[in-house]
Amino acid sequence: MKTMVGAMLVSFFIGAAFLAAVNVNLPDVTALKDTRMQVPLRVYTRDGKLMAQYGTKRRIPVALKQVPPSLVKAVLAVEDARYYEHPGVDFIGLARAAKAVIVSGRKVQGASTITMQVARNFFLSRKKTYWRKIREIMLALKIDRELSKDKVLELYLNKVYFGSRAYGVAAAAQVYYGEKVGQLTLAQMAMLAGLPQAPSRNNPLVNPVSALKRRNHVLDRMLEVGFITAAERDAAIKAPVTAAYHRQKITFHAPYVAELVRQVMVADFGQAAYDDGYKVKTTIDSRLQTQAQLQLESGLIAYSQRHGYRGPIAQWGPYDPANQDRWQTKLADLPQHNLLQTAAVTQVDEKSITVLPSQGGPQKIAWSGLQWAAPAQDDGKVGAPPSQASDIVAPGDVVYIKQASDGHWQLSQAPKVQGSLVSLNPQDGSVLSLVGGYDYSLSKFNRVTQALRQPGSCFKPFVYSAALAKGFTLASIINDAPVVMHDSGENELWRPTNDNLKFYGPTRLGVGLAQSRNLVSIRLLQDITIPYAIQYVSRFGFDPASLPKSLSLALGSASVRPMQLAGGFSVFANGGYRVVPHYIQSITDERQRAIYTAHFGQACEDCVTQPAAAEASVDRAPPVITPQNAYIMTQAMQNVIRSGTGRAAKVLKRDDLAGKTGTTNKQVDAWFAGFNSHVATVVWVGFDDLHSLHEYGSKAALPIWIHYMREALKGTPLATMPLPPAIVTTKIDPVSGLLARPEQKNAV
């Protein structure tokens, strides 16, 4: 007897010592009070539209009070009906599981309470061993002592995996039903509650039969434990399986902007950027971004069509109506574009064709939607215009089509040319819209922030501004005459010309800029000297080390990014202040705490007319040119639109617009940069492989700018900088540029 008692005491002390040792080595469960879920990075427009989500797990954390009571009961019924009664471990259930192990002789996992699952999910591996089970039990008891029941249940509902990359009940509701968790029916709640035990086997998307059985089992359990009535159970069991995969609702697409944000977040936060629930609010205006994407894509398609039809993208042979479904499936697998849809030609008549689009029924394209398609030639020209539809396409041709504004369909083609558009608020540098290329799915290269291209004549305003600062005026005379010099950086003579190969003799600076006279710009740079000009234009944000030390600088031979150019033109637009282009407005963490708010200097409009206001100005951006210089240059660039190379923009019928066209050597790059005091927009068009566009900036880029600015400025008042003090307007002799004589009739 004494031996038995002694053995029992030894066993007790050994067991107690073992449990004490286990308990000492358990992790600190108080960390669960401030636990952080793996929540994806989300990027929004400034008006709150979701434009992107990054992260491997879909999770939408919710408080327990946001989860419908019926969903909580469904989970408890099937996972842990005695949850609010036991101390974290259901010893009755454990005894039942232990008996099953003894009877079967196999290790089985049973009687896991919700608290034990929380312990496993947060602290332990999923490997099934007795040692892990013991630690799980001890952890569950510890968690139950340290945390409230509601807190543990909230952790479980947000942590548990529901299949299809959905973690937590809110994400599961969105993934399977496209709804918020509070909008689910009882049958849908039961379906979700049945998933955690076997999220693959019971997944309604891949195994609806098994999922239905599991759902009904959950409903039976809810009735059994008294959570629902028999009538509620019967009605829910009759409900059909309505689960379907719902992607995250990206309400707005701006992939070039979203990728910029992702890169910044990863650079600053590392892998945590994807998991710590950051929300980034950008400066992007969704309305303007929509217009930027639409007008750039439309403009590039229009350019492509001006240079002829390149032919079909495939040829599938004669069409048989019996093959309609198969053809449409094949069409849908081809690269798609926002404004273009793939289609197959099924019938060719004399002046029209019938096509089968990738979506919908057959469509007829009239001659008005075909006649543009003269054959493209290698030199940018087009061949003879077609006289009938068979000159253009044949049955079985696979083509692109697009719908015109009047609803009619047109033959089209995907452009090879690229482009970019960036629009800023020049008062603070915030990016209103940004499109880095024709189609992000085809090319992720962001031509706004990554492409280094020559700006051509778009660079001239900065040289002219330098000349004004050195004493020149818009009335100063420069001879527009031929020059021959050793200056190009090459071992040969440089003979620059104007685009039209003409020379105009003595020319006022204002005229030289409006008409984009190359020789005037070169001689002007020669007068003010290259070192001075380089030092001066660096005020606009250009790196002096990257600027050529030659007179070709006057013609825009430097390499700049469109974002840099937009920032430079903002200086003219805002009265002389250098603002910082930026696209992130704020960043908050998972708990909605602000961890970053954009804080950049702003232009001071009052300082233009009241210099004393500068002393009281808060958060003022650095002034880099005088208000007088900015005003005169704005006036000069308004003349570019009124009477110069940008006069096509007069169609907007606004007197507050200023800008400059740009075309580089051999017409490789085409630009238009223009602004008023509230919007500064730069458009670039060109080929990535530096092919000639065979078009000037006024034809390739300016129309895109016009269409965008029409929408950007719709309903807004005229906005141009006020007249600063110390500016004199006087009449001059148009020939000499000097003060006009009294009563001189041709004075301007």
Side-chain angles (χ1 to χ4, degrees), residues 672-713:
F672 191 81
F675 58 89
N676 72 0
S677 290
H678 293 161
V679 182
T681 303
V682 171
V683 174
W684 166 83
V685 176
F687 287 96
D688 288 339
D689 60 5
L690 304 182
H691 271 35
S692 174
L693 289 164
H694 300 286
E695 286 188 5
Y696 291 102
S698 58
K699 188 172 185 179
L702 178 55
I704 298 171
W705 185 91
I706 290 172
H707 291 307
Y708 170 78
M709 291 295 276
R710 176 182 286 116
E711 297 300 322
L713 300 176

Short mmCIF file of all heavy atoms in Angstrom, two decimals, residues 672-713:
data_model
loop_
_atom_site.label_atom_id
_atom_site.label_comp_id
_atom_site.label_asym_id
_atom_site.label_seq_id
_atom_site.Cartn_x
_atom_site.Cartn_y
_atom_site.Cartn_z
N PHE A 672 3.82 68.61 -75.40
CA PHE A 672 3.19 69.88 -75.10
C PHE A 672 3.10 70.02 -73.59
O PHE A 672 2.63 69.10 -72.89
CB PHE A 672 1.80 70.04 -75.71
CG PHE A 672 1.31 71.47 -75.60
CD1 PHE A 672 1.73 72.41 -76.51
CD2 PHE A 672 0.50 71.88 -74.55
CE1 PHE A 672 1.33 73.74 -76.41
CE2 PHE A 672 0.09 73.20 -74.43
CZ PHE A 672 0.51 74.13 -75.37
N ALA A 673 3.60 71.15 -73.09
CA ALA A 673 3.53 71.47 -71.66
C ALA A 673 2.74 72.76 -71.54
O ALA A 673 3.08 73.76 -72.17
CB ALA A 673 4.93 71.64 -71.08
N GLY A 674 1.67 72.72 -70.75
CA GLY A 674 0.84 73.91 -70.63
C GLY A 674 0.18 73.99 -69.27
O GLY A 674 0.10 73.00 -68.54
N PHE A 675 -0.33 75.20 -68.95
CA PHE A 675 -0.81 75.41 -67.59
C PHE A 675 -1.71 76.64 -67.48
O PHE A 675 -1.72 77.50 -68.36
CB PHE A 675 0.38 75.61 -66.65
CG PHE A 675 1.28 76.77 -67.03
CD1 PHE A 675 1.04 78.06 -66.55
CD2 PHE A 675 2.36 76.60 -67.89
CE1 PHE A 675 1.84 79.13 -66.90
CE2 PHE A 675 3.17 77.66 -68.25
CZ PHE A 675 2.92 78.93 -67.76
N ASN A 676 -2.47 76.68 -66.38
CA ASN A 676 -2.93 77.93 -65.80
C ASN A 676 -2.48 77.89 -64.34
O ASN A 676 -1.64 77.05 -63.99
CB ASN A 676 -4.44 78.13 -65.98
CG ASN A 676 -5.29 77.22 -65.11
OD1 ASN A 676 -4.80 76.40 -64.33
ND2 ASN A 676 -6.60 77.35 -65.24
N SER A 677 -2.98 78.73 -63.49
CA SER A 677 -2.46 78.79 -62.13
C SER A 677 -2.83 77.58 -61.27
O SER A 677 -2.25 77.38 -60.22
CB SER A 677 -2.95 80.06 -61.43
OG SER A 677 -2.33 81.20 -61.99
N HIS A 678 -3.79 76.78 -61.74
CA HIS A 678 -4.27 75.67 -60.91
C HIS A 678 -3.93 74.29 -61.47
O HIS A 678 -3.96 73.31 -60.73
CB HIS A 678 -5.79 75.77 -60.73
CG HIS A 678 -6.20 76.96 -59.92
ND1 HIS A 678 -7.49 77.46 -59.93
CD2 HIS A 678 -5.49 77.76 -59.08
CE1 HIS A 678 -7.55 78.51 -59.12
NE2 HIS A 678 -6.35 78.71 -58.60
N VAL A 679 -3.62 74.19 -62.74
CA VAL A 679 -3.32 72.89 -63.35
C VAL A 679 -2.15 73.06 -64.32
O VAL A 679 -2.20 73.91 -65.21
CB VAL A 679 -4.53 72.32 -64.11
CG1 VAL A 679 -4.19 70.94 -64.68
CG2 VAL A 679 -5.75 72.22 -63.22
N ALA A 680 -1.12 72.25 -64.13
CA ALA A 680 0.01 72.22 -65.07
C ALA A 680 0.13 70.79 -65.60
O ALA A 680 0.27 69.85 -64.82
CB ALA A 680 1.31 72.64 -64.38
N THR A 681 0.07 70.65 -66.92
CA THR A 681 0.01 69.31 -67.53
C THR A 681 1.05 69.18 -68.63
O THR A 681 1.21 70.08 -69.45
CB THR A 681 -1.39 69.05 -68.11
OG1 THR A 681 -2.37 69.19 -67.08
CG2 THR A 681 -1.49 67.66 -68.71
N VAL A 682 1.74 68.05 -68.61
CA VAL A 682 2.75 67.74 -69.63
C VAL A 682 2.36 66.44 -70.32
O VAL A 682 2.08 65.44 -69.67
CB VAL A 682 4.15 67.61 -68.99
CG1 VAL A 682 5.16 67.07 -70.01
CG2 VAL A 682 4.62 68.95 -68.44
N VAL A 683 2.38 66.48 -71.66
CA VAL A 683 2.10 65.30 -72.47
C VAL A 683 3.32 65.01 -73.33
O VAL A 683 3.87 65.93 -73.97
CB VAL A 683 0.86 65.51 -73.37
CG1 VAL A 683 0.69 64.32 -74.32
CG2 VAL A 683 -0.39 65.70 -72.52
N TRP A 684 3.74 63.76 -73.33
CA TRP A 684 4.85 63.32 -74.21
C TRP A 684 4.36 62.16 -75.07
O TRP A 684 3.62 61.29 -74.60
CB TRP A 684 6.05 62.86 -73.38
CG TRP A 684 7.06 62.10 -74.20
CD1 TRP A 684 8.04 62.62 -74.98
CD2 TRP A 684 7.15 60.66 -74.34
NE1 TRP A 684 8.74 61.61 -75.60
CE2 TRP A 684 8.21 60.40 -75.24
CE3 TRP A 684 6.43 59.59 -73.82
CZ2 TRP A 684 8.58 59.11 -75.60
CZ3 TRP A 684 6.79 58.30 -74.19
CH2 TRP A 684 7.85 58.07 -75.06
N VAL A 685 4.79 62.14 -76.32
CA VAL A 685 4.49 61.04 -77.24
C VAL A 685 5.78 60.65 -77.95
O VAL A 685 6.56 61.52 -78.38
CB VAL A 685 3.42 61.44 -78.27
CG1 VAL A 685 3.20 60.32 -79.29
CG2 VAL A 685 2.10 61.79 -77.59
N GLY A 686 6.03 59.36 -78.07
CA GLY A 686 7.23 58.90 -78.76
C GLY A 686 7.30 57.38 -78.78
O GLY A 686 6.46 56.70 -78.18
N PHE A 687 8.30 56.86 -79.47
CA PHE A 687 8.55 55.42 -79.50
C PHE A 687 9.65 55.08 -78.51
O PHE A 687 10.66 55.80 -78.41
CB PHE A 687 8.96 54.97 -80.90
CG PHE A 687 7.83 54.96 -81.90
CD1 PHE A 687 7.63 56.05 -82.73
CD2 PHE A 687 6.97 53.88 -81.99
CE1 PHE A 687 6.60 56.06 -83.66
CE2 PHE A 687 5.92 53.88 -82.91
CZ PHE A 687 5.74 54.96 -83.75
N ASP A 688 9.50 53.97 -77.80
CA ASP A 688 10.55 53.56 -76.87
C ASP A 688 11.87 53.28 -77.58
O ASP A 688 12.94 53.43 -76.99
CB ASP A 688 10.10 52.31 -76.10
CG ASP A 688 9.01 52.62 -75.07
OD1 ASP A 688 8.89 53.79 -74.67
OD2 ASP A 688 8.28 51.69 -74.68
N ASP A 689 11.79 52.84 -78.84
CA ASP A 689 13.02 52.51 -79.57
C ASP A 689 13.55 53.69 -80.38
O ASP A 689 14.41 53.53 -81.24
CB ASP A 689 12.78 51.31 -80.50
CG ASP A 689 11.69 51.57 -81.53
OD1 ASP A 689 11.17 52.71 -81.59
OD2 ASP A 689 11.34 50.63 -82.27
N LEU A 690 13.04 54.89 -80.09
CA LEU A 690 13.54 56.14 -80.68
C LEU A 690 13.28 56.25 -82.18
O LEU A 690 13.98 56.98 -82.88
CB LEU A 690 15.04 56.32 -80.39
CG LEU A 690 15.46 56.28 -78.92
CD1 LEU A 690 16.95 56.52 -78.78
CD2 LEU A 690 14.68 57.29 -78.11
N HIS A 691 12.26 55.57 -82.68
CA HIS A 691 11.84 55.77 -84.07
C HIS A 691 11.27 57.18 -84.24
O HIS A 691 10.72 57.76 -83.30
CB HIS A 691 10.76 54.75 -84.45
CG HIS A 691 11.31 53.47 -85.00
ND1 HIS A 691 12.47 52.92 -84.55
CD2 HIS A 691 10.85 52.63 -85.96
CE1 HIS A 691 12.69 51.78 -85.20
NE2 HIS A 691 11.72 51.58 -86.07
N SER A 692 11.35 57.69 -85.44
CA SER A 692 10.74 58.99 -85.72
C SER A 692 9.22 58.89 -85.69
O SER A 692 8.63 57.92 -86.17
CB SER A 692 11.19 59.51 -87.08
OG SER A 692 10.50 60.70 -87.41
N LEU A 693 8.60 59.93 -85.12
CA LEU A 693 7.14 60.01 -85.12
C LEU A 693 6.60 60.51 -86.45
O LEU A 693 5.43 60.31 -86.78
CB LEU A 693 6.67 60.96 -84.02
CG LEU A 693 6.83 60.50 -82.57
CD1 LEU A 693 6.68 61.69 -81.63
CD2 LEU A 693 5.79 59.44 -82.24
N HIS A 694 7.45 61.24 -87.17
CA HIS A 694 7.02 61.91 -88.41
C HIS A 694 5.88 62.90 -88.12
O HIS A 694 5.05 63.15 -88.97
CB HIS A 694 6.58 60.88 -89.47
CG HIS A 694 7.66 59.93 -89.85
ND1 HIS A 694 8.74 60.26 -90.64
CD2 HIS A 694 7.83 58.62 -89.52
CE1 HIS A 694 9.52 59.22 -90.80
NE2 HIS A 694 9.00 58.20 -90.11
N GLU A 695 5.88 63.43 -86.91
CA GLU A 695 4.91 64.45 -86.52
C GLU A 695 5.55 65.40 -85.51
O GLU A 695 6.45 65.00 -84.75
CB GLU A 695 3.65 63.83 -85.90
CG GLU A 695 2.73 63.16 -86.88
CD GLU A 695 1.41 62.72 -86.26
OE1 GLU A 695 1.16 63.03 -85.07
OE2 GLU A 695 0.63 62.07 -86.96
N TYR A 696 5.05 66.63 -85.48
CA TYR A 696 5.49 67.62 -84.50
C TYR A 696 4.67 67.49 -83.22
O TYR A 696 3.60 66.86 -83.19
CB TYR A 696 5.35 69.04 -85.07
CG TYR A 696 6.32 69.34 -86.18
CD1 TYR A 696 5.90 69.34 -87.51
CD2 TYR A 696 7.65 69.64 -85.91
CE1 TYR A 696 6.78 69.62 -88.54
CE2 TYR A 696 8.54 69.93 -86.93
CZ TYR A 696 8.11 69.91 -88.25
OH TYR A 696 8.99 70.19 -89.25
N GLY A 697 5.15 68.14 -82.18
CA GLY A 697 4.43 68.14 -80.92
C GLY A 697 3.04 68.73 -81.03
O GLY A 697 2.12 68.31 -80.33
N SER A 698 2.89 69.71 -81.92
CA SER A 698 1.59 70.36 -82.08
C SER A 698 0.54 69.41 -82.65
O SER A 698 -0.66 69.64 -82.49
CB SER A 698 1.71 71.58 -82.99
OG SER A 698 2.23 71.20 -84.26
N LYS A 699 0.97 68.33 -83.30
CA LYS A 699 0.02 67.37 -83.88
C LYS A 699 -0.09 66.09 -83.06
O LYS A 699 -1.17 65.53 -82.93
CB LYS A 699 0.44 67.03 -85.31
CG LYS A 699 -0.61 66.20 -86.05
CD LYS A 699 -0.27 66.04 -87.52
CE LYS A 699 -1.37 65.31 -88.27
NZ LYS A 699 -1.07 65.15 -89.71
N ALA A 700 1.03 65.63 -82.52
CA ALA A 700 1.02 64.36 -81.80
C ALA A 700 0.63 64.50 -80.33
O ALA A 700 -0.10 63.68 -79.78
CB ALA A 700 2.40 63.69 -81.90
N ALA A 701 1.12 65.57 -79.65
CA ALA A 701 0.91 65.71 -78.21
C ALA A 701 -0.15 66.74 -77.85
O ALA A 701 -0.93 66.53 -76.91
CB ALA A 701 2.24 66.08 -77.53
N LEU A 702 -0.19 67.85 -78.56
CA LEU A 702 -1.10 68.93 -78.20
C LEU A 702 -2.57 68.50 -78.19
O LEU A 702 -3.31 68.88 -77.27
CB LEU A 702 -0.89 70.13 -79.13
CG LEU A 702 -1.81 71.34 -78.91
CD1 LEU A 702 -1.74 71.82 -77.47
CD2 LEU A 702 -1.43 72.47 -79.87
N PRO A 703 -3.07 67.72 -79.17
CA PRO A 703 -4.48 67.31 -79.10
C PRO A 703 -4.83 66.55 -77.83
O PRO A 703 -5.92 66.71 -77.28
CB PRO A 703 -4.66 66.45 -80.35
CG PRO A 703 -3.62 66.94 -81.30
CD PRO A 703 -2.44 67.28 -80.44
N ILE A 704 -3.91 65.71 -77.34
CA ILE A 704 -4.16 64.97 -76.10
C ILE A 704 -4.28 65.95 -74.94
O ILE A 704 -5.18 65.84 -74.10
CB ILE A 704 -3.01 63.96 -75.85
CG1 ILE A 704 -2.96 62.93 -76.98
CG2 ILE A 704 -3.18 63.28 -74.50
CD1 ILE A 704 -1.74 62.03 -76.93
N TRP A 705 -3.37 66.93 -74.91
CA TRP A 705 -3.40 67.95 -73.86
C TRP A 705 -4.70 68.74 -73.91
O TRP A 705 -5.32 69.01 -72.88
CB TRP A 705 -2.20 68.89 -74.05
CG TRP A 705 -2.01 69.91 -72.99
CD1 TRP A 705 -1.27 69.80 -71.85
CD2 TRP A 705 -2.57 71.25 -72.95
NE1 TRP A 705 -1.33 70.96 -71.12
CE2 TRP A 705 -2.12 71.87 -71.77
CE3 TRP A 705 -3.40 71.96 -73.81
CZ2 TRP A 705 -2.47 73.18 -71.43
CZ3 TRP A 705 -3.76 73.26 -73.47
CH2 TRP A 705 -3.30 73.85 -72.30
N ILE A 706 -5.14 69.09 -75.09
CA ILE A 706 -6.38 69.87 -75.25
C ILE A 706 -7.57 69.09 -74.70
O ILE A 706 -8.37 69.62 -73.92
CB ILE A 706 -6.60 70.24 -76.72
CG1 ILE A 706 -5.57 71.27 -77.19
CG2 ILE A 706 -8.01 70.77 -76.94
CD1 ILE A 706 -5.60 71.53 -78.68
N HIS A 707 -7.71 67.84 -75.10
CA HIS A 707 -8.86 67.04 -74.66
C HIS A 707 -8.84 66.84 -73.15
O HIS A 707 -9.89 66.87 -72.49
CB HIS A 707 -8.88 65.69 -75.38
CG HIS A 707 -9.18 65.80 -76.84
ND1 HIS A 707 -10.28 66.45 -77.34
CD2 HIS A 707 -8.53 65.31 -77.94
CE1 HIS A 707 -10.31 66.39 -78.66
NE2 HIS A 707 -9.25 65.70 -79.05
N TYR A 708 -7.65 66.62 -72.59
CA TYR A 708 -7.55 66.44 -71.14
C TYR A 708 -7.89 67.74 -70.40
O TYR A 708 -8.68 67.74 -69.45
CB TYR A 708 -6.14 65.98 -70.75
CG TYR A 708 -5.92 66.00 -69.25
CD1 TYR A 708 -6.42 65.00 -68.44
CD2 TYR A 708 -5.22 67.06 -68.65
CE1 TYR A 708 -6.23 65.03 -67.06
CE2 TYR A 708 -5.03 67.10 -67.28
CZ TYR A 708 -5.54 66.09 -66.49
OH TYR A 708 -5.36 66.13 -65.12
N MET A 709 -7.30 68.85 -70.85
CA MET A 709 -7.52 70.11 -70.15
C MET A 709 -8.96 70.59 -70.29
O MET A 709 -9.48 71.29 -69.40
CB MET A 709 -6.54 71.17 -70.65
CG MET A 709 -5.10 70.92 -70.27
SD MET A 709 -4.79 71.00 -68.48
CE MET A 709 -4.58 72.77 -68.27
N ARG A 710 -9.62 70.25 -71.37
CA ARG A 710 -11.03 70.62 -71.50
C ARG A 710 -11.83 70.04 -70.33
O ARG A 710 -12.70 70.72 -69.76
CB ARG A 710 -11.59 70.11 -72.83
CG ARG A 710 -13.09 70.38 -72.99
CD ARG A 710 -13.64 69.83 -74.29
NE ARG A 710 -13.23 70.66 -75.43
CZ ARG A 710 -12.46 70.25 -76.42
NH1 ARG A 710 -11.97 68.99 -76.40
NH2 ARG A 710 -12.14 71.04 -77.41
N GLU A 711 -11.53 68.80 -69.98
CA GLU A 711 -12.24 68.16 -68.87
C GLU A 711 -11.71 68.63 -67.51
O GLU A 711 -12.47 68.82 -66.57
CB GLU A 711 -12.14 66.64 -68.98
CG GLU A 711 -12.81 66.07 -70.22
CD GLU A 711 -14.28 66.39 -70.30
OE1 GLU A 711 -14.95 66.37 -69.23
OE2 GLU A 711 -14.78 66.67 -71.40
N ALA A 712 -10.39 68.80 -67.43
CA ALA A 712 -9.79 69.20 -66.16
C ALA A 712 -10.26 70.58 -65.72
O ALA A 712 -10.41 70.84 -64.51
CB ALA A 712 -8.26 69.17 -66.27
N LEU A 713 -10.48 71.47 -66.67
CA LEU A 713 -10.86 72.85 -66.34
C LEU A 713 -12.34 73.11 -66.48
O LEU A 713 -12.78 74.26 -66.32
CB LEU A 713 -10.07 73.81 -67.24
CG LEU A 713 -8.54 73.72 -67.13
CD1 LEU A 713 -7.88 74.65 -68.13
CD2 LEU A 713 -8.08 74.05 -65.71
#
